[in-house]
């Protein structure tokens, strides 16, 4: 986990405040009337999730998706996750107050289309940033209405099942902005959440 800490934790010098992360849940623009039956998923070119994750308890409490050891590896300390309710589901925020590094995990269960919702938005040309990747064996995408990588911010959305996805948003500490691709960091954090969820 040391490589994660190196990406987000402070080194020397005085860090300036970084912009606050706002999870990008713009896929909510897909209305219920647009939603196919679950047995029709995936759609719009989204990949199928062959080994769905059991996420029930993590949807109820997303702060369980990162253990204290994992958050220590990410931030260099073990900040307590703070739960909240987002437009599309429950979320949790971890933040290093000293370095301003931050990670959010938000389950997008109020839009039960999984990664198909992300691909549909991309088909409509509404994502400025959209890249496919695999996270710990699960299909995922990097996406955003604005490319915030120059600000040290990136969102990765993981397909937990054909009907459910969750996003991991990472904000690097200001002294790390421009030194490491924040999407690599976000994918690493997302990989840790998959490990935790699979462990139950």
């Amino acid at each position: 986990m040391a490589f994660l800490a190196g990406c987000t934790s402070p080194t020397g010098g005085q860090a300036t405040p970084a912009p606050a992360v706002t999870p990008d849940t713009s896929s909510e623009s897909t209305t219920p009337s647009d939603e196919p039956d679950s047995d029709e998923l995936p759609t719009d070119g989204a990949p199928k999730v062959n080994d769905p994750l059991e996420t029930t308890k993590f949807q109820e409490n997303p702060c369980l998706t990162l253990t204290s050891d994992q958050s220590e590896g990410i931030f260099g300390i073990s900040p307590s996750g703070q739960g909240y309710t987002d437009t599309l589901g429950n979320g949790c925020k971890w933040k290093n107050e000293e370095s301003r590094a931050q990670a959010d995990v938000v389950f997008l269960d109020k839009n039960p289309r999984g990664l198909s919702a992300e691909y549909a938005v991309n088909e409509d040309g509404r994502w400025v940033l959209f890249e496919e990747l695999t996270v710990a064996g699960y299909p995922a995408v990097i996406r955003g209405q604005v490319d915030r990588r120059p600000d040290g911010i990136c969102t990765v959305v993981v397909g937990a099942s054909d009907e459910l996805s969750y996003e991991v948003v990472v904000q690097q500490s200001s002294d790390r902005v421009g030194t490491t691709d924040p999407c690599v960091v976000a994918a690493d954090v997302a990989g840790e959440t998959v490990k935790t969820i699979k462990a139950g």
Side-chain angles (χ1 to χ4, degrees):
M1 293 288 290
F3 65 95
L4 291 177
C7 291
T8 56
S9 59
T11 52
Q14 184 68 31
T16 56
V21 168
T22 301
D24 187 354
T25 55
S26 303
S27 56
E28 67 191 79
S29 56
T30 301
T31 61
S33 61
D34 294 329
E35 294 173 7
D37 293 334
S38 60
D39 59 1
E40 296 178 12
L41 296 172
T43 63
D44 299 282
K48 186 169 183 60
V49 179
N50 294 314
D51 184 21
L53 294 168
E54 173 50 57
T55 58
T56 303
K57 78 174 185 180
F58 300 98
Q59 290 172 250
E60 295 172 354
N61 183 3
C63 293
L64 296 176
T65 58
L66 288 175
T67 67
S68 58
D69 285 345
Q70 287 170 322
S71 64
E72 183 172 0
I74 294 164
F75 295 102
I77 61 172
S78 294
S80 297
Q82 297 183 339
Y84 60 89
T85 300
D86 189 75
T87 305
L88 288 182
N90 294 327
C92 187
K93 182 191 308 294
W94 293 262
K95 187 172 184 178
N96 183 328
E97 295 294 344
E98 180 181 351
S99 71
R100 313 289 290 184
Q102 180 176 311
D104 286 70
V105 174
V106 181
F107 282 88
L108 310 178
D109 49 8
K110 293 182 182 177
N111 187 1
R113 297 190 60 214
L115 287 179
S116 295
E118 310 297 336
Y119 278 75
V121 173
N122 188 54
E123 285 289 310
D124 289 343
R126 288 179 280 164
W127 291 137
V128 169
L129 176 64
F130 189 86
E131 297 179 8
E132 299 175 308
L133 71 159
T134 301
V135 171
Y138 284 80
V141 296
I142 296 167
R143 59 97 159 122
Q145 286 185 312
V146 177
D147 187 351
R148 304 179 73 185
R149 289 176 294 182
D151 299 321
I153 298 170
C154 185
T155 298
V156 169
V157 183
V158 179
S161 70
D162 290 338
E163 297 79 25
L164 176 67
S165 60
Y166 65 94
E167 66 176 12
V168 176
V169 188
V170 163
Q171 174 179 305
Q172 295 174 295
S173 57
S174 56
D175 61 328
R176 291 291 177 179
V177 174
T179 67
T180 307
D181 184 346
C183 292
V184 172
V185 182
D188 289 339
V189 176
E192 295 300 316
T193 66
V194 171
K195 291 178 186 177
T196 303
I197 294 171
K198 290 190 76 170

